[in-house]
Amino acid sequence: MPVIVATSADAPVDFDALIDLGISKPARYLGNELGVQARDWSLAWQSAGVRWALTYPEVYEVGASNSGHIILYSILNSVPGQLCDRSYLPAPDLAARLRQRGAPLFAVESRRPLSAFDILGFSLSYELGGTNILEMLELAGIPIRAAERGDLPLSHPGAPPLIFAGGPTATSNPEPFAAFFDFIALGDGEELLPEIGLVVAEARAAGLSRQSLLRDLAQVPGVYVPSLYGPGVDGVSIEPLEPGAPARVQRRTATPMPHYAMGLVPHIETVHDRLTVEIRRGCTRGCRFCQPGMLTRPARDVEPEAVIEAVEEGMGRTGYSDFSLLSLSCSDYLALPAVGVELRNRLADKNVSLTLPSQRVDRFDQNIAHILGGTRKAGLTFAPEAGSQRLRDIVNKGLTDAELLAGVRTAMENGYRKLKLYFMIGLPGETDTDVLGIADTCQALQRQCSDLGRLELNLTISNFTPKPHTPFQWHSVSTEEFRRRQELLRRALRQLRGLKTNFTDVRLSAVEDFVGRGDRRLAAVIEAAWRAGAGLDAWFESAERSYAAWTGAIDAAGLGGRYRQLELGAWSAAEAMETADLEAFCRQSLPWDHIDSGLDKRWLAEDLQRALAATVVPDCSFDGCSSCGVCGPEMGHNVVIAPPVIPAALPQRAPASDRVDRLRIGFAKTGSLALISHLDTLRMLERALRRSGLPVSFTGGFHPLPRLQLALPLPLGVEGSGEWLDLEFTEQVDPGLVRSRLQCELPPGFQLLSAIQVEVFGVSLSQELASARWHFVLQPQAGPLTSEQWRQARASLLAAETLTWNDTDKKGRPRSRDCRPFLLDLQWAEPQPAGSLLCTLWASIDASGRSLRPEQVQHWLGERLGQSLALSGLRRQALLLKPC
């Protein structure tokens, strides 16, 4: 393998110049999570055969908690010769700074520009997420369209990376996004991505051109190369342009690998701040509206012992206090009760809680209710989807009113008083009676459960959008009809108490539908929408801007008439057709017909007819085969594991709260850890304590926490060289042993300096604080100052009887305080030639933790000197304790 020579294009960005306190949540970009492999990036970079960057097109808090993203990252880094880094959508403030300074978007660990990698992989899991991908490509300095990336071999310094997408939206219908990607990875990536890496490494070593490499990749099952395909004679279907390209590209399937889920633990709070272990992939319930259920067949259960081992080991390695078992339908994992009880038994003294995604209410019984929660009982979510039995039969939900009531009553019998329910409106065959049935269902549940207490419901009402590869892919919806039905339901729900309701914005639902079932003409729309400001479309606060950007882009592309036809078009047009006309209608070409999901298109059309007849199809994991076309040698078969015997449940134990010993630990928090907030520091310490296995004492109550106190929070971005924390234990401990065991679990930059025993029930640490010593640098902004000017300003400051500081309290109310009592002393050396001054401040701390901040001294000195001063190099050198 040839040695890859580093060039200036490979050089890391100037991270310290880009990421400072002017950037919100700067810890997002540190790339220093627990589990990141320590490596010499210069050496690793040169020796790697192929260099990946998995780029998640959402902000860090979303991407870093996505289990698929972490699993693929972990797998790629385990393959010899392959190197994988990560990147996330920068928040608007960093994006603006990158543009302003002409700096490229970078990967978080190596801090190298994304353009320096060989392959960039984007997760495309949402129809409107394409704009975020274009944003990242532009910030990386990479041409956004595949046709503009040339034909240079990847080994050439000027060659841009290969750009690909994976995920459910990319697999479902890649055509609207085809112009932006060199290739698409269809289906599961655990086996597919390493295969792609091997092909790319060989082509890179051989110096193949980009187009030749793409032809090779097109031969890998599951890889779709859009440039090798084009519209057929009907203008809709997609056909190969070269003889070697397969006519249809088949989706890949893989066996879940739960062990890789514990790869990374972020130091900041993320959206899903817990260990997530997959227990079952695929769903065969056959809900006709559900694209994930159709696109992930066959169902594949994970061996119960593998789940138990992954959770037990993962909780020990990560230090999380919560774990979640992941599946499209956890209740269909028949081993769930046995696995759940066994995990609760093994983790009974670990102070952890189990959460599950949305539950099948018809399978929610006492066994499942028993395993949920733990120390903290999380919320519970059910998805009836429709408000009437007839409509649930049409969509093949397989849920009766009696089963819904039984599941809700079981939840209430186990202490749940607030439930979240998901419903949809706009489903095929829906009438006003079905819409109002949602309100009737909620009212009936509250009435029929009143003997168990007051039931509060949190409703999410989403708008049905037809999805490719489902029996309802031919369905027609109307935005105007959505608005009418939403208002009809709002009026009905206003009559009920104990309800909170959230309705999905009908405008964005329409755009999702337009893009999700579109063709290659949509590339111009997506690009124009991005240039008009559409981005972060999943977030409610940008809905107005996003809708205006999208509709403007649709009009500019000449597709406005087609979009308005969709908005105002026929409601459930397929229902009005005769059988022969419906069959002919369903035989027409669709833009995604060349994507082989395994589902037979004829079976989907037949299932649409069964839906119109309200015929329920049983779950083929537990009943007979429904002949959908998926199962076979290429994609495998359903793997359903028989339920093991449920073990006897051991009594749950509250976390140990005895207070036997107490240590006072001195520590330093330096380097990049200064960019981690106080709350995230506490979270990091709690997880480190869990991993250490030390006999820590916990508080009582609903949410037990370690008896841990930090002396005085460090401001964000400030290093501390002499900080203190107190920690209590349930037994006598050796201070040196505690220090060494805990240090092993802490990241570089968090150093434990000392540990001594103090009285367990003595004065709290905050009451022991006497003063703080600060070091910082002041730089005049209007020219150098003389030593005499500095001296006079200092003398005036120390002689002042009052030092008034005006600000606002936590509620935004103005307040004024005299801070003079906190100023003990201010010293400095002679000014440097450049005019800067190295200062040392001594500030007292009162019993409430109030003190003086260097920024206040900066302000008061600036007033006395008649010019503004810049503050830098801020460090709290020491927190000084009262003498014993």
Side-chain angles (χ1 to χ4, degrees):
M1 182 180 300
V3 174
I4 301 172
V5 179
T7 68
S8 59
D10 298 333
V13 301
D14 187 348
F15 183 82
D16 293 335
L18 284 172
I19 308 298
D20 56 25
L21 295 183
I23 297 297
S24 64
K25 299 185 179 179
R28 290 167 165 164
Y29 311 106
L30 292 178
N32 63 346
E33 300 91 339
L34 175 70
V36 167
Q37 181 179 343
R39 61 172 107 236
D40 181 337
W41 270 98
S42 297
L43 181 61
W45 188 265
Q46 294 181 29
S47 61
V50 60
R51 299 161 302 194
W52 296 76
L54 293 184
T55 42
Y56 203 90
E58 291 280 5
V59 292
Y60 175 85
E61 291 91 322
V62 178
S65 61
N66 181 273
S67 59
H69 174 72
I70 300 305
I71 287 171
L72 293 176
Y73 161 85
S74 302
I75 288 174
L76 288 172
N77 275 319
S78 71
V79 178
Q82 302 198 28
L83 181 67
C84 187
D85 203 341
R86 299 164 290 124
S87 186
Y88 305 93
L89 178 73
D93 55 356
L94 179 57
R97 179 171 290 185
L98 291 172
R99 287 192 172 97
Q100 177 189 9
R101 300 185 181 181
L105 183 59
F106 54 90
V108 294
E109 294 179 34
S110 66
R111 296 174 180 171
R112 281 169 163 76
L114 292 184
S115 58
F117 288 82
D118 299 316
I119 312 176
L120 300 188
F122 289 91
S123 176
L124 187 56
S125 55
Y126 176 48
E127 290 87 349
L128 306 190
T131 55
N132 289 349
I133 294 175
L134 300 189
E135 174 80 353
M136 293 182 74
L137 288 175
E138 194 212 34
L139 289 171
I142 297 169
I144 64 172
R145 289 184 177 254
E148 299 168 354
R149 297 182 193 133
D151 197 31
L152 292 173
L154 281 185
S155 55
H156 191 285
L162 290 172
I163 310 299
F164 82 95
T169 299
T171 298
S172 164
N173 178 19
E175 292 312 300
F177 316 96
F180 309 120
F181 296 107
D182 295 300
F183 66 92
I184 307 289
L186 303 177
D188 298 339
E190 289 94 332
E191 298 171 1
L192 176 57
L193 264 59
E195 292 176 19
I196 290 170
L198 293 175
V199 173
V200 172
E202 290 179 3
R204 197 184 198 290
L208 292 186
S209 70
R210 191 184 197 89
Q211 199 60 28
S212 296
L213 169 54
L214 290 173
R215 290 191 183 96
D216 286 350
L217 284 173
Q219 302 308 309
V220 177
V223 175
Y224 169 52
V225 180
S227 62
L228 302 182
Y229 296 78
V233 293
D234 59 7
V236 177
S237 59
I238 299 296
E239 300 176 352
L241 299 176
E242 298 187 6
R248 301 188 73 209
V249 185
Q250 190 174 71
R251 167 179 67 91
R252 289 288 291 269
T253 60
T255 301
M257 302 179 183
H259 178 78
Y260 286 103
M262 61 189 82
L264 295 176
V265 181
H267 290 319
I268 71 170
E269 186 176 13
T270 59
V271 172
H272 302 296
D273 211 23
R274 63 183 70 96
L275 175 70
T276 301
V277 172
E278 188 175 20
I279 59 174
R280 189 177 204 248
R281 185 172 301 180
C283 178
T284 51
R285 282 278 181 168
C287 297
R288 292 170 176 132
F289 57 83
C290 181
Q291 185 186 72
M294 295 291 174
L295 274 184
T296 58
R297 295 180 175 205
R300 287 144 286 164
D301 286 357
V302 179
E303 287 289 343
E305 192 57 38
V307 174
I308 293 168
E309 290 177 0
V311 172
E312 191 172 24
E313 181 183 354
M315 297 302 282
R317 282 175 49 181
T318 63
Y320 279 121
S321 60
D322 301 279
F323 69 96
S324 178
L325 301 179
L326 178 65
S327 172
L328 287 175
S329 180
C330 286
S331 311
D332 289 333
Y333 181 65
L334 301 182
L336 179 61
V339 166
V341 172
E342 181 63 25
L343 284 170
R344 289 201 69 172
N345 289 346
R346 295 193 188 189
L347 302 173
D349 60 346
K350 303 298 184 183
N351 184 25
V352 299
S353 297
L354 164 64
T355 62
L356 295 173
S358 173
Q359 290 292 296
R360 286 284 312 194
V361 65
D362 52 315
R363 283 192 184 270
F364 188 77
D365 57 17
Q366 294 293 342
N367 289 326
I368 294 179
H370 167 72
I371 66 174
L372 284 175
T375 306
R376 297 168 301 282
K377 182 165 289 189
L380 196 58
T381 302
F382 297 132
E385 307 295 0
S388 71
Q389 184 65 62
R390 183 190 68 87
L391 193 55
R392 287 196 292 269
D393 290 345
I394 286 176
V395 303
N396 207 51
K397 182 64 181 177
L399 174 68
T400 66
D401 291 334
E403 289 168 334
L404 175 59
L405 175 61
V408 171
R409 287 188 63 85
T410 299
M412 294 192 70
E413 288 166 358
N414 284 272
Y416 291 93
R417 293 296 179 266
K418 294 182 180 180
L419 300 178
K420 187 171 185 177
L421 301 182
Y422 282 121
F423 290 96
M424 279 193 289
I425 60 173
L427 291 163
E430 183 182 72
T431 66
D432 285 0
T433 301
D434 298 309
V435 175
L436 295 173
I438 295 174
D440 295 339
T441 297
C442 295
Q443 186 177 40
L445 289 173
Q446 289 180 323
R447 183 182 67 253
Q448 293 171 319
C449 296
S450 60
D451 59 308
L452 300 174
R454 177 181 170 86
L455 173 61
E456 296 185 25
L457 298 174
N458 188 348
L459 308 184
T460 294
I461 313 295
S462 60
N463 308 311
F464 167 67
T465 54
K467 303 291 185 181
H469 305 284
T470 70
F472 292 162
Q473 65 184 351
W474 296 280
H475 186 55
S476 170
V477 296
S478 161
T479 300
E480 291 304 314
E481 187 65 17
F482 271 136
R483 288 194 176 98
R484 187 189 72 80
R485 297 188 184 204
Q486 279 193 354
E487 183 55 33
L488 179 68
L489 182 55
R490 279 193 177 97
R491 288 198 301 267
L493 292 175
R494 288 192 195 110
Q495 313 302 315
L496 306 183
R497 295 184 177 181
L499 289 186
K500 292 183 179 179
T501 309
N502 175 54
F503 285 87
T504 304
D505 192 317
V506 297
R507 300 168 302 170
L508 290 185
S509 296
V511 178
E512 287 174 19
D513 184 20
F514 190 71
V515 174
R517 294 193 291 171
D519 53 32
R520 293 193 175 188
R521 289 176 294 174
L522 269 293
V525 172
I526 295 169
E527 181 178 348
W530 161 65
R531 295 192 185 281
L536 289 173
D537 293 308
W539 303 111
F540 176 77
E541 55 266 25
S542 63
E544 293 287 343
R545 185 186 73 236
S546 295
Y547 183 71
W550 279 104
T551 52
I554 290 168
D555 286 336
L559 299 174
R562 180 179 166 196
Y563 176 71
R564 279 182 285 277
Q565 183 181 7
L566 180 147
E567 282 198 308
L568 303 172
W571 180 261
S572 303
E575 297 171 49
M577 294 183 182
E578 298 293 334
T579 301
D581 293 335
L582 181 59
E583 290 175 351
F585 177 70
C586 292
R587 284 196 297 270
Q588 295 178 3
S589 295
L590 296 170
W592 51 89
D593 280 347
H594 60 297
I595 303 301
D596 183 3
S597 66
L599 294 164
D600 189 324
K601 187 177 178 181
R602 290 170 298 181
W603 180 84
L604 292 173
E606 291 167 1
D607 205 40
L608 173 61
Q609 295 196 33
R610 287 189 287 268
L612 298 179
T615 301
V616 175
V617 175
D619 186 339
C620 66
S621 287
F622 311 107
D623 290 285
C625 176
S626 61
S627 302
C628 70
V630 169
C631 290
E634 291 84 8
M635 293 189 177
H637 297 79
N638 291 333
V639 177
V640 179
I641 295 174
V645 175
I646 301 174
L650 299 179
Q652 294 298 295
R653 298 189 292 275
S657 58
D658 296 336
R659 304 173 67 182
V660 176
D661 204 358
R662 175 181 172 196
L663 295 188
R664 181 155 294 158
I665 300 175
F667 70 92
K669 181 185 172 191
T670 59
S672 62
L673 290 190
L675 296 176
I676 295 178
S677 71
H678 175 65
L679 290 178
D680 287 327
T681 299
L682 288 173
R683 189 178 294 107
M684 179 185 71
L685 284 168
E686 179 187 349
R687 291 173 182 168
L689 289 168
R690 287 177 176 276
R691 294 192 299 271
S692 73
L694 291 167
V696 176
S697 175
F698 281 80
T699 61
F702 175 72
H703 190 182
L705 294 171
R707 295 188 191 273
L708 166 70
Q709 181 187 13
L710 270 64
L712 190 66
L714 274 166
L716 184 65
V718 175
E719 295 182 280
S721 301
E723 304 296 302
W724 296 99
L725 64 85
D726 275 10
L727 187 58
E728 296 188 26
F729 299 89
T730 60
E731 60 187 58
Q732 288 289 329
V733 293
D734 176 74
L737 179 62
V738 168
R739 180 181 164 193
S740 62
R741 282 179 59 178
L742 184 55
Q743 185 67 73
C744 293
E745 303 299 337
L746 292 168
F750 201 104
Q751 293 297 316
L752 303 182
L753 306 175
S754 63
I756 60 171
Q757 287 177 318
V758 296
E759 186 181 346
V760 175
F761 296 100
V763 177
S764 70
L765 176 58
S766 61
Q767 302 299 303
E768 297 277 17
L769 296 177
S771 61
R773 185 171 77 246
W774 298 84
H775 284 184
F776 53 93
V777 175
L778 294 177
Q779 176 72 51
Q781 298 298 286
L785 296 166
T786 66
S787 297
E788 180 59 21
Q789 287 175 301
W790 282 113
R791 187 194 66 77
Q792 291 180 7
R794 172 183 178 274
S796 172
L797 186 67
L798 293 176
E801 293 186 2
T802 61
L803 291 171
T804 303
W805 186 257
N806 298 309
D807 60 6
T808 58
D809 63 16
K810 292 181 179 179
K811 295 184 178 180
R813 297 171 299 196
R815 65 181 177 183
S816 181
R817 293 175 293 158
D818 178 18
C819 296
R820 180 61 186 87
F822 299 112
L823 177 58
L824 299 178
D825 198 5
L826 178 65
Q827 299 287 344
W828 52 60
E830 285 297 311
Q832 299 297 308
S836 62
L837 197 69
L838 177 60
C839 305
T840 302
L841 167 69
W842 284 264
S844 66
I845 304 172
D846 71 9
S848 300
R850 292 175 299 188
S851 185
L852 198 62
R853 302 193 310 274
E855 302 96 297
Q856 295 168 316
V857 173
Q858 169 198 13
H859 170 76
W860 291 318
L861 282 176
E863 285 184 334
R864 286 159 173 77
L865 292 166
Q867 64 168 291
S868 61
L869 304 173
L871 177 69
S872 63
L874 183 58
R875 177 189 288 260
R876 191 157 71 191
Q877 198 67 21
L879 284 176
L880 305 175
L881 304 178
K882 296 174 182 177
C884 297

